[in-house]
Amino acid sequence: AVTEDKEYKLRNLSIGDRVVTIDDGFFAEEIAVPWPKVVKLPDGVTTKTAAASALQGLTALTFATESYNIQKDDIVLVYSAAGGVGINLTQIAAGRGATVIATVSSEVKSEVARANGAKHVINTTEQNVVDEVLRITNGEGVHAVFDGVGKDTFEDNFKIIRRKGTFVSLGNASGIPPLFQPLRLGEKNIKLIRPRLFGYIATPEEIRTYQNKYDELLGSGVVKPVIYKEYPFTAEGVKQSQIDITSRGTIGKLILKVA
């Protein structure tokens, strides 16, 4: 029975609990979700904070732990550092004592990246990423690149990763990266990984473990979700949220208040 399952018991769920989950079909006032995907929220984390951070937060935490385990004194490059995943990656890396080099596309986003822990910020509309990264690192390059841009930045990353570094390709905003020969990795003995969140939280234990770890980061203030705007759960509200999110003018998360 479900109630006798070890993982279910560890969740300590009761009727009326505030919970967090990542699933499809959330444009609704009520949904049914399999219990393994549900984790109870601690008292220090509001439902609004959880809604604003669950998906991108777990993405960033798993990538910063398993794709490349960011350590104190590492130097990492985070592309699109004013976006949902980028903000989380920057906060997590800075919280671990790493030096974050962030890329953004405007001066306003530069301020956001700095406020969330980036030590160096590159405005891609005015500066060359390769030149700036090599200047900042005295020609050595970074320990890891977290790149959600894809096609437009793929080739440059090979120039700015140091020997034995890691290339985390986590998105394709500009298109799918080109095919390449694996022999290229041997030039500096670098690692290339293309992770997906759900490959890291495939079991009930992984879901619970990572959500609890992320909630601890929220509770301690290491990570703080940046909320751009809250929209009403109406046809007009949903429509406007979709217009805004595709405009590239938003910073952080857009929230639909369902109830």
Side-chain angles (χ1 to χ4, degrees):
V2 169
T3 54
E4 296 303 313
D5 187 277
K6 177 184 176 182
E7 268 300 315
Y8 182 82
K9 289 181 177 179
L10 286 171
R11 280 163 168 73
N12 192 30
L13 295 170
S14 299
I15 294 174
D17 281 343
R18 298 178 311 110
V19 298
V20 61
T21 185
I22 300 173
D23 204 2
D24 297 326
F26 278 6
F27 282 13
E29 293 181 346
E30 296 181 356
I31 59 170
V33 180
W35 71 262
K37 295 183 177 182
V38 176
V39 179
K40 186 175 180 178
L41 286 173
D43 291 339
V45 178
T46 67
T47 51
K48 183 175 180 178
T49 295
S53 59
L55 181 60
Q56 279 77 19
L58 290 192
T59 299
L61 180 58
T62 55
F63 290 7
T65 303
E66 299 204 41
S67 298
Y68 176 78
N69 191 11
I70 299 174
Q71 302 291 316
K72 186 178 184 295
D73 297 327
D74 279 349
I75 305 174
V76 299
L77 175 65
V78 177
Y79 282 93
S80 305
V85 174
I87 288 172
N88 273 276
L89 279 169
T90 300
Q91 292 175 339
I92 290 169
R96 293 182 185 179
T99 296
V100 179
I101 304 174
T103 77
V104 296
S105 59
S106 71
E107 189 53 41
V108 171
K109 292 182 178 182
S110 294
E111 295 173 5
V112 172
R114 289 191 181 93
N116 285 288
K119 185 173 183 180
H120 306 278
V121 181
I122 301 170
N123 186 335
T124 56
T125 62
E126 301 174 354
Q127 298 169 290
N128 180 279
V129 174
V130 174
D131 292 345
E132 288 300 306
V133 169
L134 294 179
R135 178 186 64 79
I136 292 166
T137 61
N138 295 316
E140 291 190 32
V142 295
H143 293 90
V145 169
F146 292 86
D147 180 12
V149 178
K151 176 175 171 288
D152 291 351
T153 52
F154 188 80
E155 290 296 328
D156 283 348
N157 291 329
F158 289 96
K159 303 172 186 176
I160 55 182
I161 298 176
R162 67 176 58 194
R163 184 176 65 88
K164 297 194 290 186
T166 300
F167 178 174
V168 184
S169 176
L170 57 94
N172 309 311
S174 66
I176 298 173
L179 298 176
F180 78 105
Q181 291 295 328
L183 283 172
R184 291 192 61 187
L185 302 176
E187 295 172 8
K188 298 180 184 178
N189 281 5
I190 66 173
K191 304 177 185 71
L192 171 62
I193 182 169
R194 179 46 171 102
R196 292 178 65 250
L197 168 62
F198 295 104
Y200 289 138
I201 56 169
T203 70
E205 180 181 6
E206 289 171 335
I207 294 170
R208 173 181 54 81
T209 299
Y210 271 114
Q211 186 61 57
N212 286 343
K213 286 181 178 179
Y214 188 74
D215 287 343
E216 289 175 7
L217 295 177
L218 284 170
S220 65
V222 172
V223 295
K224 301 174 184 177
V226 176
I227 298 175
Y228 173 74
K229 188 176 178 180
E230 185 177 296
Y231 302 81
F233 188 53
T234 62
E236 185 58 36
V238 172
K239 177 182 177 182
Q240 190 59 52
S241 71
Q242 299 305 302
I243 292 172
D244 290 350
I245 202 170
T246 56
S247 71
R248 295 197 68 194
T250 63
I251 296 173
K253 297 300 299 176
L254 284 65
I255 300 292
L256 281 173
K257 187 173 182 179
V258 175

